[in-house]
Amino acid sequence: MCYAIPGKVVEINDKIVTVEYFGEQRKARNEFYDLKLGEYVYAQGGLVIQKMSEREALPVLESWKELFFELQEIDIQMAKNTKTLYDKANAVRHKHLGNACCVHGIIEFSNYCKNNCLYCGLRKDNTKIKRYRMEVDEIVKTAENAINNLGFKALVLQSGEDDYYTAEMLEKAVKQIMSKNPILLVLSIGERDISVYRRLYGAGARGVLLRFETSDPELYKKMKPESDFDKRIELIKQLREMGYLIFTGFLVGLPGQSEEILVKDIELTDSLGADMFSFGPFIPHPQTPLADAGAPSIDTALNAIARARLISPEAKILVTTAMETIDKQDGAKLGLMSGGNSLMINLTPEKYRKFYEIYPDRAGTDTAVEKQIQDVLDLLRRLGRAPTDLGI
Ligand code: SAM
Ligand code: SF4
């Protein structure tokens, strides 16, 4: 699989370039000092990650050409419907971002965590969970397999807040992955000192997935006893300033979340300038203090996606695994048809995957990576979505 389409650079304006994909233009941030007009690039999440020659790009473009226009037509037809709130959000998504859709991979490299978030199955006090850690070499090998054999161009490295991994170890992993492979590497490792994030930026990481979880400071205090709301928000802002693409958001249906808080959650995601909205339904885990709380309905979760799309028409909105978990059959499809335009595939080695139990019965846990990829590709084709970059 190579689920990305290269584009041609048609304008350069300092660090912002315009890239054209079959007539559609998107802006992207560029760090290549020698990039020239007319050259071809891969971009991910609005960042140019790889330059390529015309000789390399043209056969890829040729192989996509016919399919791209077919997909575009399917999307145009499907976005004509504007009866329900979900349809309206889908039409807005189509109007602002066309049929672009990104597919990122996620590698969950440790389920140890020093924190006790009330909602999470990885919390320190959950003694029933079997803990695992991947060593640096194994993280690098898993990432390289995802890049070279499975065709991923954007990867998230995620873990509990696990101080076993020193800044040196994380730097080594990021450097080794990035030295051979031009990808968008996103860190989801919780609250680490800003100096650690600076070092990892230097090593080549360019994205951070760090949710603020709830915009309500009181609810935050209850849900994340070891963490401070203001400090987490400040960290997100500092990381953005440092140059990281920010993936952030909240939990939908967290006990205590009112309608008013939900709207504020969406607004805060927007005002933090999220490069990717990452929010999904809360699913209770039996070995947590919230075991008896109910999960939100699929409609509540879809409603949040649709409202986020209407509040922030140009947002990149991830349809999360939790969404796919509350409706195994159709969660991904419904999310993409209610304003979502991004998906994540779980690339954690199968022997560990079931132990990364933030909530039970996660979608994709028992499905081989190849099958997950095929299912996603089939779904995106049915919905008329193409892997052109979503831009900035
Ligand atoms: N430890 C890091 C952190 O908290 O930022 C990254 C890993 S953490 C498992 C990733 C995300 O999982 C959290 O931001 C949280 O929103 C989500 N999560 C945790 N427990 C969940 C649950 N019961 N249902 C849905 N999502 C959950
Ligand atoms: Fe740890 Fe993150 Fe889970 Fe909180 S949400 S317990 S920080 S893994």
Side-chain angles (χ1 to χ4, degrees):
M1 178 188 89
C2 185
Y3 209 66
I5 297 179
K8 187 176 185 171
V9 179
V10 294
E11 198 184 322
I12 300 178
N13 204 340
D14 196 14
K15 294 236 174 304
I16 305 295
V17 298
T18 306
V19 185
E20 191 168 281
Y21 304 90
F22 298 116
E24 284 187 7
Q25 294 192 346
R26 304 238 191 281
K27 302 256 185 248
R29 243 173 59 193
N30 169 50
E31 296 180 356
F32 291 95
Y33 68 92
D34 57 348
L35 186 66
K36 295 187 191 67
L37 276 179
E39 283 191 307
Y40 288 83
V41 294
Y42 277 119
Q44 286 283 301
L47 179 74
V48 174
I49 56 160
Q50 185 181 358
K51 289 200 311 170
M52 61 198 303
S53 67
E54 188 173 28
R55 193 169 48 82
E56 289 169 299
L58 289 185
V60 186
L61 285 171
E62 198 49 44
S63 70
W64 269 101
K65 197 171 164 190
E66 202 175 321
L67 180 61
F68 179 83
F69 289 109
E70 258 174 51
L71 294 172
Q72 201 177 41
E73 189 51 33
I74 296 172
D75 186 41
I76 289 170
Q77 293 308 325
M78 292 181 104
K80 274 187 177 156
N81 207 345
T82 52
K83 272 195 233 121
T84 65
L85 175 73
Y86 306 151
D87 295 338
K88 285 193 182 85
N90 187 44
V92 171
R93 185 268 315 152
H94 168 78
K95 180 174 169 210
H96 289 270
L97 292 141
N99 67 340
C101 188
C102 56
V103 182
H104 298 171
I106 181 163
I107 299 168
E108 298 148 341
F109 63 91
S110 161
N111 69 352
Y112 280 84
C113 188
K114 65 178 183 192
N115 292 337
N116 255 324
C117 304
L118 264 63
Y119 44 81
C120 180
L122 304 191
R123 67 200 307 274
K124 169 179 74 181
D125 287 355
N126 181 7
T127 50
K128 297 215 171 116
I129 192 173
K130 183 172 174 323
R131 304 278 173 176
Y132 72 88
R133 284 186 179 114
M134 287 166 64
E135 293 302 331
V136 168
D137 284 354
E138 198 178 7
I139 299 172
V140 173
K141 264 193 204 128
T142 308
E144 288 188 340
N145 181 49
I147 299 161
N148 299 323
N149 300 329
L150 303 170
F152 282 85
K153 297 222 169 274
L155 289 179
V156 180
L157 297 184
Q158 190 176 85
S159 66
E161 267 185 44
D162 185 1
D163 290 338
Y164 168 81
Y165 298 93
T166 59
E168 288 74 26
M169 287 163 82
L170 293 170
E171 184 182 42
K172 192 171 163 204
V174 172
K175 261 195 184 149
Q176 286 193 9
I177 296 168
M178 293 306 296
S179 62
K180 287 192 239 146
N181 312 283
I183 59 157
L184 169 62
L185 192 65
V186 180
L187 305 164
S188 182
I189 53 176
E191 293 170 47
R192 299 290 296 240
D193 195 83
I194 194 73
S195 61
V196 176
Y197 277 112
R198 195 168 293 118
R199 205 158 155 175
L200 299 178
Y201 191 88
R206 285 293 178 272
V208 169
L209 165 51
L210 186 69
R211 292 177 172 177
F212 55 82
E213 316 292 0
T214 171
S215 60
D216 187 83
E218 285 303 308
L219 186 57
Y220 187 93
K221 213 175 181 175
K222 266 193 225 152
M223 293 292 158
K224 281 182 81 69
E226 293 94 348
S227 171
D228 180 85
F229 177 76
D230 291 333
K231 281 196 186 137
R232 190 148 171 124
I233 296 290
E234 192 47 39
L235 177 60
I236 294 172
K237 288 182 181 166
Q238 284 178 321
L239 293 170
R240 186 172 158 70
E241 219 145 85
M242 204 181 279
Y244 278 109
L245 298 172
I246 299 299
F247 294 33
T248 191
F250 51 91
L251 283 159
V252 178
L254 198 57
Q257 180 191 51
S258 62
E259 264 292 303
E260 205 189 344
I261 293 178
L262 175 63
V263 173
K264 286 201 176 131
D265 288 341
I266 298 173
E267 287 171 352
L268 181 57
T269 316
D270 190 48
S271 70
L272 285 169
D275 295 286
M276 177 70 75
F277 282 42
S278 166
F279 61 87
F282 154 73
I283 300 174
H285 187 292
Q287 274 107 43
T288 64
L290 301 181
D292 297 329
S297 68
I298 181 84
D299 271 321
T300 304
L302 290 173
N303 225 285
I305 295 182
R307 285 160 85 174
R309 171 60 62 207
L310 298 177
I311 289 175
S312 188
E314 298 194 346
K316 290 164 252 178
I317 301 180
L318 179 69
V319 178
T320 58
T321 311
M323 187 76 206
E324 298 178 52
T325 303
I326 55 172
D327 183 337
K328 288 239 165 65
Q329 194 65 33
D330 280 330
K333 175 179 152 208
L334 294 171
L336 289 173
M337 290 304 288
S338 303
N341 52 1
S342 177
L343 287 175
M344 202 90 95
I345 292 183
N346 192 325
L347 306 177
T348 306
E350 274 179 73
K351 63 178 170 182
Y352 301 126
R353 230 185 280 161
K354 63 176 175 296
F355 303 120
Y356 200 81
E357 204 191 61
I358 51 182
Y359 49 81
D361 206 17
R362 282 190 316 149
T365 301
D366 301 326
T367 315
V369 167
E370 290 73 13
K371 166 94 170 74
Q372 289 185 62
I373 293 172
Q374 199 48 54
D375 289 349
V376 165
L377 294 184
D378 290 348
L379 174 65
L380 297 183
R381 282 187 188 190
R382 281 204 309 282
L383 302 186
R385 306 295 172 90
T388 47
D389 186 43
L390 285 159
I392 45 175

